[in-house]
């Protein structure tokens, strides 16, 4: 049996999902720098920060595909609830931890909760959005993440103080507050998924699509790599800007404002992404923004004044805002319809692989070449993503496809029919 996607009228579900995502992501974005500051207060060096940041992604790396399989065969809402519980628990227990080992373990729990929430939420958007609306809906959905990334670091910077040796206590307070923020998101999760969703979306377990077939679908590998590069840049920026601030004498509150400025620029990008797509096309927009982001990210390694650093982070945030929603749409459209949640989980597996490898590499680079070296590495990664995006667009043109146009949601339909929302097949009566 083939999975059927149900497109619902009204967008209240998307607004509630964006609010819940903003709160959950805000909790994580508040907790990530707080974990770094608390680890520093407990005696961690740059290498230890890299390990703790990598453990955040380790459990999700192992769990993503099984969770995606489960979501392809059932409801998404239970994953959202589990995700919130794990995020809140990981934040609270990180605040109570007294050793670096315990902090790394609870950071992993927090990462697993974030993965559960994101897989469930992205699958809901994929199921409830018509093909012609996926770019817009995924763009609006990721505004929730950017709002959380905007508010979280400001709140962390406001709560954390290094005066008179208070960093251990104030960073613990920030982690406990982030746990409370995550718990509040439960109130926004009502009715984001229809009660009839299991009947509409359940597929027979014998019809599982092999992972190899999903990864061979044209567009899926490129979408995964672009997402990996963009998320690695955002993640390491969040984890290592506090370390850079410590070395350059930038106060935690100022670091929080800089991280939030980056998030605000990402929100601005996603609000205007639809007209940018119309003007530039998907390939040109993705390639240009990754290229510019790579150059700016590498330039953060320079000892520039705080005012210029703020401008650089605003430009970087705007450019990074393109990659995530477009990579979601790319993966959803390229994957077989009955394996879209698994494909999104594979994309998240790539993200978490980057979140394991990039911080570990960043920690080694920071220990050997200084705290600014990880940003040079990220710049190179983003330049590689730009090259992959340009190459994919060139292959599409050689194959006769228009990379700027939306993918055909129903292969085999006439060109005149493309772009129309397909009529759902009649229900079988079950």
């Amino acid at each position: 049996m083939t999975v059927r996607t149900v497109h619902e009228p009204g967008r209240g579900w998307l607004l509630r999902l964006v609010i819940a995502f903003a709160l959950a992501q805000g909790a994580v974005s508040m907790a990530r720098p707080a974990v770094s500051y608390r680890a520093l207060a407990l005696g961690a060096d740059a290498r230890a920060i890299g390990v703790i940041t990598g453990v955040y992604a380790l459990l999700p790396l192992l769990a993503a595909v099984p969770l995606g399989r489960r979501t392809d065969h059932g409801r998404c809402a239970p994953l959202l609830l589990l995700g919130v519980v794990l995020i809140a628990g990981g934040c609270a227990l990180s605040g109570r931890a007294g050793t670096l080992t315990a902090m790394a373990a609870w950071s992993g729990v927090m990462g697993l909760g974030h993965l559960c929430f994101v897989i469930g939420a992205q699958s809901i958007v994929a199921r409830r959005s018509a093909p012609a609306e996926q770019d817009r809906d995924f763009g609006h959905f990721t505004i929730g993440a950017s709002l959380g990334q905007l508010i979280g670091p400001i709140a962390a910077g406001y709560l954390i103080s290094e005066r008179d040796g208070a960093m251990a206590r104030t960073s613990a307070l920030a982690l406990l507050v982030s746990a409370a923020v995550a718990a509040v998101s439960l109130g926004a999760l009502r009715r984001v998924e229809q009660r009839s969703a299991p009947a509409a979306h359940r597929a027979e377990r014998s019809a599982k699509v092999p992972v190899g077939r999903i990864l061979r679908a044209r567009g899926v590998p490129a979408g995964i790599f672009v997402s990996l590069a963009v998320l690695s840049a955002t993640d390491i920026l969040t984890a290592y800007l506090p370390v850079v601030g410590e070395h350059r004498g930038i106060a935690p509150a100022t670091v929080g404002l800089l991280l939030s400025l980056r998030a605000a620029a990402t929100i601005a990008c996603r609000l205007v992404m639809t007209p940018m797509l119309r003007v530039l096309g998907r390939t040109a927009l993705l390639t240009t923004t990754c290229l510019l982001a790579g150059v700016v990210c590498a330039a953060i390694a320079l000892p520039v004044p705080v005012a210029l650093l703020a401008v650089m982070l605003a430009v970087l945030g705007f450019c990074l805002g393109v990659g995530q929603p477009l990579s979601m749409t790319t993966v959803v459209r390229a994957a077989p319809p009955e394996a879209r949640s698994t494909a999104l989980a594979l994309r998240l597996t790539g993200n978490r692989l980057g979140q394991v490898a990039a911080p570990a590499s960043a920690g080694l680079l920071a220990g050997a070449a200084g705290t600014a070296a990880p940003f040079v590495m990220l710049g190179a990664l983003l330049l590689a993503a730009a090259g992959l995006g340009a190459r994919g667009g060139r292959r599409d043109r050689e194959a006769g496809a228009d990379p700027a146009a939306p993918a055909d949601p129903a292969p085999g339909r006439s060109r005149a029919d493309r772009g129309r929302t397909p009529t759902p097949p009649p229900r079988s009566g079950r």
Side-chain angles (χ1 to χ4, degrees), residues 17-18 60 105-106 159 161 180 182 261 281 295 309 409:
L17 195 60
V18 168
W106 296 125
L159 291 170
S161 172
L261 177 63
V295 172
L309 183 61

Side-chain angles (χ1 to χ4, degrees), residues 45-50 240 243 247 359-374:
D45 57 12
R47 288 187 179 91
I49 296 291
Y240 271 85
V243 182
H247 281 261
S361 303
L364 292 174
L365 284 173
T371 56

Side-chain angles (χ1 to χ4, degrees), residues 38-52:
R38 182 159 177 79
L40 289 170
L42 293 176
D45 57 12
R47 288 187 179 91
I49 296 291
V51 171
I52 292 172

Side-chain angles (χ1 to χ4, degrees), residues 79-93:
L79 268 187
L80 300 179
L81 300 176
L82 177 62
V84 170
V85 170
L86 292 176
I87 290 171
C91 291
L93 292 169

Side-chain angles (χ1 to χ4, degrees), residues 243-330:
V243 182
V244 171
E246 280 288 294
H247 281 261
R248 297 184 186 177
I250 304 173
T254 303
V255 171
L257 288 172
L258 290 172
L259 290 172
S260 296
L261 177 63
R262 195 277 312 162
T266 298
I267 293 173
C269 166
R270 287 167 180 168
L271 289 173
V272 299
M273 194 162 60
T274 299
M276 287 195 300
L277 281 168
R278 283 198 298 264
V279 172
L280 296 176
R282 180 176 282 108
T283 298
L285 180 61
L286 192 58
T287 302
T288 303
T289 53
C290 284
L291 181 64
L292 184 56
V295 172
V296 174
C297 200
I300 293 176
L302 302 174
V304 298
V306 173
L308 181 55
L309 183 61
V311 174
M312 293 166 63
L313 287 171
V315 174
L316 180 62
F318 191 90
C319 293
L320 293 177
V322 170
Q324 293 287 44
L326 290 192
S327 68
M328 291 177 199
T329 305
T330 299

Side-chain angles (χ1 to χ4, degrees), residues 68-254:
R69 292 285 197 200
R70 181 252 171 231
T71 307
D72 274 325
H73 295 88
R75 297 180 62 220
C76 306
L79 268 187
L80 300 179
L81 300 176
L82 177 62
V84 170
V85 170
L86 292 176
I87 290 171
C91 291
L93 292 169
S94 294
R96 301 288 297 173
T99 66
L100 296 179
T101 301
M103 289 201 66
W106 296 125
S107 180
V109 171
M110 188 196 315
L112 181 60
H114 188 259
L115 174 82
C116 291
F117 190 97
V118 172
I119 288 180
Q122 287 182 7
S123 298
I124 288 174
V125 176
R127 289 177 179 180
R128 300 194 68 170
S129 300
E133 298 172 347
Q134 284 176 345
D135 274 333
R136 182 197 66 187
D137 286 355
F138 274 120
H140 289 173
F141 166 72
T142 52
I143 286 175
S146 298
L147 285 171
Q149 291 164 359
L150 170 67
I151 297 168
I154 290 179
Y158 177 79
L159 291 170
I160 298 170
S161 172
E162 58 184 339
R163 294 179 182 176
D164 302 322
M167 187 181 292
R169 177 177 55 81
T170 56
S171 59
L173 174 62
L175 286 164
L176 294 175
V177 171
S178 66
V181 172
V184 171
S185 67
L186 291 171
L189 290 177
R190 296 179 59 191
R191 300 192 307 276
V192 293
E193 184 179 41
Q194 275 207 325
R195 294 184 181 277
S196 60
H201 299 295
R202 187 178 291 117
E204 293 181 8
R205 296 189 180 275
S206 61
K208 286 182 181 179
V209 179
V211 168
R213 177 185 162 194
I214 299 171
L215 291 174
R216 286 192 299 271
R218 189 174 70 179
V220 170
I224 290 174
F225 187 82
V226 169
S227 180
L228 181 154
V230 171
L231 186 67
S232 294
T234 303
D235 200 57
I236 295 222
L237 184 66
T238 302
Y240 271 85
L241 198 61
V243 182
V244 171
E246 280 288 294
H247 281 261
R248 297 184 186 177
I250 304 173
T254 303

